[in-house]
Amino acid sequence: MATTTASTKATAKKTAKPASGKDTVTPIGKIALTEQAATQKAAPPNATVQKPKKAVEAEKPAKPKKPKLVRDSFTIPKDEYQVIDALKQRSAKLGQPMKKSELLRAGIKLLNGLDDAAFGKAVAEVPAIKTGRPKKSKQ
């Protein structure tokens, strides 16, 4: 048995050596490695298999984009400012408490919904005031 093992080793060495410098015979184990390398080149190692998300996306409604907010300040007569406070209390009694900015936005929506004649009448009833910060009074 020792002679057959030695002869098979010698034959394996002969087949493993290249016949010429260009042609090479690769053992079976290396062929398997080269096939794995070829499949790894086709798909990057960091790539993960992703499942189709169409079913998940269909279930979630699209989120509306938040409107861009603008911060502003303005001057308003004290009696009109007290009307805002009265309207805030009135809305709270109705079970719909509102902030000052929400009341102003509701008023803007109402003005926007008016026709030209009614809008002109509403604008004419509002007196013009001097803009800017009021001076500090000495009281």
Side-chain angles (χ1 to χ4, degrees):
M1 275 198 225
T3 56
T4 57
T5 312
S7 65
T8 55
K9 285 183 181 179
T11 311
K13 284 183 180 180
K14 288 180 184 177
T15 57
K17 290 183 180 179
S20 67
K22 295 180 183 176
D23 297 331
T24 59
V25 178
T26 57
I28 295 174
K30 288 189 177 181
I31 292 173
L33 288 177
T34 56
E35 287 176 4
Q36 286 178 350
T39 57
Q40 287 178 355
K41 287 179 183 176
N46 294 340
T48 57
V49 178
Q50 295 180 352
K51 296 178 182 177
K53 294 184 179 181
K54 291 181 181 179
V56 176
E57 290 176 2
E59 293 174 7
K60 292 183 182 179
K63 291 184 180 180
K65 291 185 177 181
K66 292 182 180 180
K68 194 169 191 175
L69 303 178
V70 178
R71 184 150 179 89
D72 196 3
S73 63
F74 53 90
T75 305
I76 187 170
K78 192 170 187 173
D79 58 335
E80 292 176 13
Y81 193 79
Q82 289 172 343
V83 172
I84 292 174
D85 191 42
L87 289 171
K88 283 175 58 175
Q89 291 175 3
R90 184 174 168 187
S91 67
K93 285 181 185 177
L94 294 173
Q96 182 77 30
M98 296 181 81
K99 297 177 183 176
K100 178 174 39 177
S101 63
E102 293 169 336
L103 279 171
L104 294 174
R105 289 173 43 222
I108 290 169
K109 283 188 174 191
L110 287 173
L111 285 172
N112 192 35
L114 297 176
D115 61 350
D116 289 343
F119 178 73
K121 185 177 179 184
V123 171
E125 292 177 5
V126 178
I129 58 172
K130 184 177 177 182
T131 60
R133 291 189 175 268
K135 294 180 181 178
K136 290 185 179 181
S137 62
K138 296 181 183 179
Q139 290 181 350

